[in-house]
Amino acid sequence: MPAERLKPGGPGTAEPAASGLTPEEAFDALYAQAAPGLVHQTFLLTGRRALSREAVERAFQQAWQRWPEVAVDADPVGWVRAAAYEYALSPWHRLRRAHKHPDAPLAEAGRRGQELLSALLELPPPYRRTVLLYDGLGLDLPDTAAETEASTPAAANRLLHARTVLGRKDPDLAEPEELHRRLNALVAEEPVADLPAARAVRTGSEHRTRTWTRAVVGVTAVLIAMTGFTAVTAPTRYVPVNAPGETVNGVPVRGGPEKLRPEDVELRDRLRSEPNPGPERLIPVAG
């Protein structure tokens, strides 16, 4: 299905479970409102456009698979955003040739925006994600810590470190207010994104689910067959194996008396048949 161009939506929270909407209509509404903005945010996080679209599409596929959970979530956009960020920042993408190097900066962002994006991409991924959520999207510190799966003190330390590094790149960014203003403006500059239609995302999600289900069923069937074959062919009792005899060299000759000669045997037999108690006892005679 060819991609359809969607109008960018704001990064705020959408309400998918609106009254009177079917699950498909609620999902489509969430996708139309949040997907373009999330693609732009993910691009700021990774610097790779194709990876950003792929991450957001994969995140919405996961959302459709778990739609009963996402539909009642207090912040469904945050649910999808966390999934997209997690996928986009996976270290495995470094091994993919298409996502090995960042794309060119945004032309719409201007020189200062491009400099900020370049400095942002030099931060380690956890710090980059923290400063984007806190200073770019305006989340508070506990929510930022929860979304990045860190403690609040750890998130605060990451934020301070990121601000320090960005301040070294540009002295104007040393002030938190200036960093927040410029990063928020960079996030708000949402270029129009070419994304597949919501229906295509739902169809892809269902296809992926069926594929995984068939794979799991196939692997389970193979394991059952192997287990049955083993149970049928395995011996019911233990049969000890007698090892064949082998010639052993280098063993010393057994110790003990030497073999008797014929004359020795004759003497032995004679001594046994004619016991001799010894000479007769001598009795002294008095003189």
Side-chain angles (χ1 to χ4, degrees):
M1 178 178 294
E4 295 182 5
R5 185 174 295 271
L6 300 176
K7 295 181 180 180
T13 301
E15 183 60 42
S19 175
L21 294 181
T22 63
E24 291 78 7
E25 293 172 345
F27 175 86
D28 294 353
L30 175 65
Y31 183 81
Q33 177 181 356
L38 290 178
V39 170
H40 180 63
Q41 296 169 26
T42 311
F43 171 73
L44 298 180
L45 196 67
T46 62
R48 295 160 175 83
R49 294 183 177 86
L51 178 59
S52 303
R53 291 190 292 267
E54 179 182 329
V56 172
E57 183 177 352
R58 183 67 60 86
F60 272 99
Q61 288 179 352
Q62 295 177 9
W64 181 241
Q65 293 171 6
R66 304 172 62 176
W67 184 248
E69 173 189 342
V70 178
V72 298
D73 193 272
D75 183 10
V77 175
W79 194 101
V80 180
R81 178 180 62 234
Y85 285 11
E86 196 71 26
Y87 180 86
L89 293 178
S90 174
W92 293 106
H93 297 307
R94 301 174 185 174
L95 305 178
R96 303 172 60 184
R97 181 178 300 179
H99 305 318
K100 191 172 183 180
H101 302 290
D103 297 331
L106 295 173
E108 301 88 346
R111 182 183 61 83
R112 301 189 64 169
Q114 293 178 6
E115 293 176 354
L116 175 57
L117 178 59
S118 300
L120 188 65
L121 293 177
E122 293 180 6
L123 294 173
Y127 298 83
R128 193 188 317 158
R129 184 177 181 180
T130 300
V131 73
L132 179 62
L133 290 173
Y134 188 85
D135 285 323
L137 301 182
L139 272 67
D140 58 16
L141 194 57
D143 290 341
T144 301
E147 187 162 328
T148 57
E149 298 182 351
S151 64
T152 302
N157 289 332
R158 290 175 180 176
L159 181 62
L160 293 176
H161 176 77
R163 286 176 172 177
T164 301
V165 173
L166 293 176
R168 293 172 184 169
K169 298 289 184 181
D170 187 349
D172 294 339
L173 299 178
E175 295 295 332
E177 293 80 7
E178 178 65 16
L179 174 61
H180 174 74
R181 186 188 65 80
R182 289 175 56 179
L183 191 56
N184 187 263
L186 192 62
V187 170
E189 293 177 355
E190 297 181 6
V192 177
D194 288 327
L195 295 173
R199 181 178 179 180
V201 175
R202 287 190 280 105
T203 303
S205 175
E206 295 166 358
H207 176 71
R208 182 180 297 274
T209 301
R210 287 194 298 268
T211 301
W212 276 105
T213 302
R214 292 170 184 169
V216 171
V217 171
V219 172
T220 304
V222 171
L223 291 178
I224 293 175
M226 293 177 61
T227 303
F229 177 78
T230 303
V232 171
T233 58
T236 57
R237 60 189 181 87
Y238 174 71
V239 180
V241 179
N242 296 324
E246 297 181 0
T247 303
V248 180
N249 299 322
V251 180
V253 181
R254 181 185 299 175
E258 298 181 359
K259 186 176 181 180
L260 298 178
R261 296 173 296 176
E263 55 269 25
D264 296 329
V265 175
E266 182 181 358
L267 177 60
R268 183 193 65 186
D269 295 340
R270 184 178 177 183
L271 290 175
R272 290 179 178 177
S273 60
E274 300 176 4
N276 186 3
E280 296 182 358
R281 187 176 183 182
L282 298 179
I283 300 176
V285 180

